[in-house]
Amino acid sequence: MCGIVGYIGPRDATPIVLNGLKRLEYRGYDSAGLAVLQNGSIAVRRDAGKLDRLIDLVGQSPISGAPGIGHTRWATHGAPSARNAHPHLGSTGRVVVVHNGIVENFLELRDELTAEGVNFNSETDTETIVHLVEHYLATGLNLTEAARKTFLDIQGAHGIVLMSADEPDKIVCARLGNAGGVVVGLGEGENYIASDIPAILEHTRQVIFLESHQMAVVTREGARVESLEGKPVQAEVHSVSWDPVAAEKGEFRHFMQKEIHEQVRSLTDTLAGRVDFENGRIRLPELNLSPELAQRITKIFITACGTAAYAGMVGKYLIEKIARLPVELEIGSEFRYRDPIIDENTVVLAISQSGETADTLAAMEEGRRKGAVLWSIVNAIGSQAMRIADGYISMQTGPEIGVASTKAFTAPLVDLYMLAVLLAELRGVIDEQTRRNLVADLRFVPDLASRALNTEPIVEKVAWALKDVRDCLYLGRGINMPIAYEGALKLKEISYIHAEGYPAGEMKHGPIALIDRDMPVVCLAPRDPWYEKMISQIQQAKARGGTVVAVATEGDELVGGMADHIIPVPEAPWMLSPVVTVIPLQMLAYHIAAIRGLDVDQPRNLAKSVTVE
Ligand code: AGP
């Protein structure tokens, strides 16, 4: 998610905007910029890198004036660079915009605007917004009406703030869909706009939260809120009591919990602009996957570390099942020591949230050395794993602050599913109806995640029951076997409880000797093709006195009657079921660690990105 700050009033906007952006640094970003109205013109300073770089830039080449707007960007379309950084000026230089979200129909809009003779200066989807506003201004509309028309034209979830040198008495902002918030802060003869409360708390605690599909015209005197259709809204003014640090986490105690709950948004975003539901097709333009390449690939080698590797294990099931393409999986730290069998028809697919994990990068280098095609699925745009790949898929989850990866685990599950469908189509191994059905199932993903999140009260009760255990087994089969590994890793890394993920079918070959009343067993038993096998697994664990926690499809009375604790998840297409089965396990690990009073966001001995081998 990007950070946004705006100011309109008698003071110089520059320091207010820069300080506000500083308060939003926790959100993570890779470029920053601001624009102020200076002597009747719009002055912009922006660059890739951190805020200190921008502050230096402003120090070397000062700008001052008001109103002003600023932005910290987490790149989704277009690598972090000065020309892709916000704010974006239109062709006239009289209108400027900052934006949070993804313009899902930006390709079509850019084509239409280019056909009208508009020149684009960046690779961003955001630039289509400012050119569209200028397009409507040129028809004689004022800024408010031109902005309204633009807001109605663009698809997706957005927070948008824009201003014009020709109407310096206002800033126009809007919230479309469930994008990160747009907050209007009310002062005395001056007013503020921000994507998050911490940016303006030092100035005011009186705030208006824009709801989805609302816009506001903010002047020195106040804010007029209305629906996009122009219907006035009597917006409630809230008095914020949060302290700035608490405000950064919103209503959550830790970033990890916040990010677990952001998964409805992050899954929506990872799908954004990539799924053509009407024609049942997937588009992954940054992957540079031609039909020729798709047809000549003979093997995909997935390589990653930790949680990302478990996402890769799910990817193996998906790609082999849907695209009928052989997939090998090797963890990054082992890859190059096994002299992998690779040729020019092999794809090495790296999965990495940070895109900077040394073991994963080393595996990519080995793949390159052996002539493989390199792909990556990354969250950090501009990271090494993105830059060295021949093609990539961005997770588009926004920054993940908690060391324990959550939303950057479920997003690649969906990215791998989309990749499998695209490969299947280009390799001609799937008929149209099957492809349409697989694509249609993606529509349910955000809602399935939302319903899985609703089990939190039940999960919290289970956490209280397990909070003092010393060991724990996680069992799964088939596509949910990797979720057993991932659930165990979550518990290990933030609660320091020894936990082990295991293929359920392997238990009878030795590990079942471990089970007794002191060894709780978490069983993943959703209604998937391995359901019956998991039923007998639960019976075996119970027969040995084990305490069983079952993640099962809601309404499953059979499992409910057998398990000691039941966590119900919504029924999901089995190839997407890992998205719903992992969420309760993320919450279980979180609540156990929180109950134990541990540092959930910064667990001992761990780093968010392991950039050493
Ligand atoms: C997951 O919760 C851990 N933080 C860790 O296993 C992580 O997934 C691994 O280090 C890989 O990181 P990456 O995705 O940034 O490459």
Side-chain angles (χ1 to χ4, degrees):
M1 259 79 77
C2 308
I4 290 176
V5 181
Y7 169 77
I8 187 163
R11 292 186 286 161
D12 177 9
T14 297
I16 294 170
V17 168
L18 289 175
N19 290 335
L21 292 177
K22 265 266 181 232
R23 295 256 188 269
L24 298 179
E25 276 204 293
Y26 69 88
R27 296 167 73 111
Y29 63 99
D30 42 46
S31 57
L34 80 160
V36 299
L37 184 66
Q38 175 174 267
N39 305 325
S41 299
I42 293 176
V44 177
R45 296 289 182 272
R46 62 185 187 170
D47 203 352
K50 295 304 181 188
L51 265 179
D52 291 344
R53 167 87 191 101
L54 176 63
I55 292 167
D56 287 348
L57 202 54
V58 172
Q60 292 156 18
S61 174
I63 56 174
S64 65
I69 58 178
H71 187 267
T72 49
R73 177 177 182 246
W74 175 268
T76 54
H77 289 84
S81 64
R83 74 193 191 104
N84 288 334
H86 301 204
H88 284 282
L89 271 171
S91 311
T92 65
R94 306 292 291 168
V95 186
V96 69
V97 71
V98 294
H99 165 233
N100 179 10
I102 297 170
V103 180
E104 291 184 11
N105 56 333
F106 86 94
L107 289 172
E108 293 85 346
L109 292 172
R110 187 162 63 184
D111 291 347
E112 288 165 19
L113 289 161
T114 305
E116 287 177 14
V118 171
N119 292 319
F120 280 77
N121 303 308
S122 76
E123 304 159 299
T124 68
D125 55 322
T126 301
E127 200 183 342
T128 56
I129 296 174
V130 69
H131 290 312
L132 212 43
V133 171
E134 288 189 329
H135 163 85
Y136 285 117
L137 285 169
T139 65
L141 295 179
N142 64 25
L143 182 65
T144 303
E145 294 314 312
R148 183 196 314 285
K149 282 230 179 246
T150 300
F151 299 152
L152 290 167
D153 280 353
I154 61 177
Q155 294 168 12
H158 308 279
I160 304 173
V161 181
L162 55 90
M163 66 185 203
S164 167
D166 297 328
E167 297 185 49
D169 62 336
K170 64 176 69 76
I171 295 179
V172 181
C173 56
R175 182 179 183 189
L176 315 178
N178 61 1
V182 175
V183 179
V184 178
L186 303 175
E188 300 293 325
E190 57 189 3
N191 292 305
Y192 310 82
I193 297 159
S195 50
D196 225 344
I197 289 173
I200 54 175
L201 265 187
E202 66 179 294
H203 304 297
T204 178
R205 290 181 178 273
Q206 304 306 309
V207 299
I208 292 170
F209 295 100
L210 283 198
E211 300 298 330
S212 173
H213 210 71
Q214 288 184 348
M215 64 185 280
V217 179
V218 183
T219 63
R220 287 187 177 193
E221 292 72 37
R224 188 179 78 244
V225 180
E226 55 192 44
S227 72
L228 290 196
E229 289 71 27
K231 185 169 174 294
V233 170
Q234 193 53 48
E236 183 182 353
V237 177
H238 298 262
S239 182
V240 174
S241 56
W242 287 336
D243 70 79
V245 173
E248 291 176 2
K249 296 169 193 145
E251 70 268 26
F252 300 105
R253 284 178 58 199
H254 300 98
F255 282 112
M256 181 185 176
Q257 189 186 27
K258 183 171 185 264
E259 287 151 8
I260 288 172
H261 284 269
E262 278 175 352
Q263 290 179 105
V264 177
R265 170 70 199 278
S266 56
L267 287 163
T268 302
D269 283 352
T270 208
L271 290 166
R274 293 166 168 171
V275 187
D276 174 356
F277 285 110
E278 190 180 340
N279 299 303
R281 282 205 159 84
I282 297 296
R283 290 178 305 189
L284 296 168
E286 294 94 351
L287 195 59
N288 301 321
L289 175 57
S290 66
E292 177 278 330
L293 173 58
Q295 285 151 28
R296 74 173 166 84
I297 298 171
T298 54
K299 175 168 73 172
I300 292 183
F301 234 123
I302 296 179
T303 186
C305 300
T307 284
Y310 300 144
M313 289 169 86
V314 174
K316 172 179 168 67
Y317 278 95
L318 295 172
I319 294 170
E320 290 190 340
K321 177 67 180 172
I322 298 172
R324 307 309 296 155
L325 186 59
V327 177
E328 277 198 58
L329 182 107
E330 186 53 84
I331 54 176
S333 53
E334 292 295 321
F335 187 89
R336 69 180 187 283
Y337 301 112
R338 53 168 282 185
D339 192 12
I341 299 166
I342 288 173
D343 63 24
E344 71 281 1
N345 297 321
T346 307
V347 167
V348 170
L349 168 58
I351 303 173
S352 177
Q353 189 286 129
S354 64
E356 300 297 345
T357 299
D359 289 330
T360 306
L361 293 174
M364 294 180 79
E365 295 299 345
E366 176 69 0
R368 171 72 81 211
R369 193 180 66 79
K370 290 193 167 227
V373 174
L374 283 192
W375 290 346
S376 60
I377 299 178
V378 295
N379 196 34
I381 295 293
S383 60
Q384 186 85 337
M386 177 198 138
R387 287 199 308 274
I388 67 175
D390 299 307
Y392 70 91
I393 302 172
S394 58
M395 296 178 190
Q396 297 180 164
T397 74
E400 188 176 67
I401 311 294
V403 165
S405 192
T406 51
K407 61 181 183 173
F409 174 74
T410 48
L413 298 184
V414 172
D415 297 335
L416 287 157
Y417 181 101
M418 291 193 285
L419 170 61
V421 173
L422 181 58
L423 279 167
E425 180 185 11
L426 295 178
R427 292 169 61 84
V429 299
I430 193 170
D431 62 61
E432 180 177 353
Q433 194 50 58
T434 304
R435 191 195 75 232
R436 283 177 173 277
N437 295 342
L438 288 171
V439 171
D441 283 345
L442 286 169
R443 194 188 297 278
F444 307 119
V445 167
D447 180 58
L448 287 170
S450 175
R451 289 163 57 196
L453 286 166
N454 291 340
T455 62
E456 186 159 30
I458 296 171
V459 172
E460 198 168 354
K461 288 195 179 80
V462 177
W464 278 101
L466 298 186
K467 66 183 178 64
D468 298 321
V469 299
R470 291 179 48 77
D471 301 285
C472 193
L473 264 177
Y474 286 71
L475 305 181
R477 283 193 83 136
I479 201 167
N480 279 293
M481 184 264 287
I483 304 305
Y485 287 99
E486 170 57 12
L489 175 59
K490 287 280 110 28
L491 189 65
K492 275 184 274 214
E493 64 176 325
I494 63 173
S495 72
Y496 315 146
I497 293 171
H498 169 250
E500 198 170 358
Y502 229 90
E506 269 296 287
M507 289 304 291
K508 54 189 175 293
H509 301 291
I512 201 161
L514 284 172
I515 297 182
D516 60 21
R517 65 188 178 82
D518 297 324
M519 174 65 84
V521 186
V522 179
C523 291
L524 296 163
R527 285 230 176 76
D528 64 13
W530 299 273
Y531 175 69
E532 298 304 332
K533 297 288 185 189
M534 285 307 297
I535 292 295
S536 67
Q537 188 57 57
I538 293 172
Q539 288 165 336
Q540 289 173 46
K542 287 300 295 172
R544 286 157 182 80
T547 300
V548 172
V549 177
V551 176
T553 303
E554 52 199 22
D556 187 334
E557 292 174 5
L558 174 60
V559 174
M562 296 162 56
D564 298 278
H565 304 278
I566 183 87
I567 301 174
V569 292
E571 181 133 26
W574 71 267
M575 284 187 266
L576 292 167
S577 62
V579 173
V580 295
T581 54
V582 75
I583 287 176
L585 303 189
Q586 295 170 341
M587 296 192 287
L588 181 61
Y590 168 76
H591 282 291
I592 290 174
I595 291 166
R596 289 163 70 107
L598 299 171
D599 184 350
V600 172
D601 286 331
Q602 299 288 341
R604 66 188 183 196
N605 313 332
L606 295 181
K608 181 59 185 170
S609 176
V610 183
T611 55
V612 293
E613 291 195 23

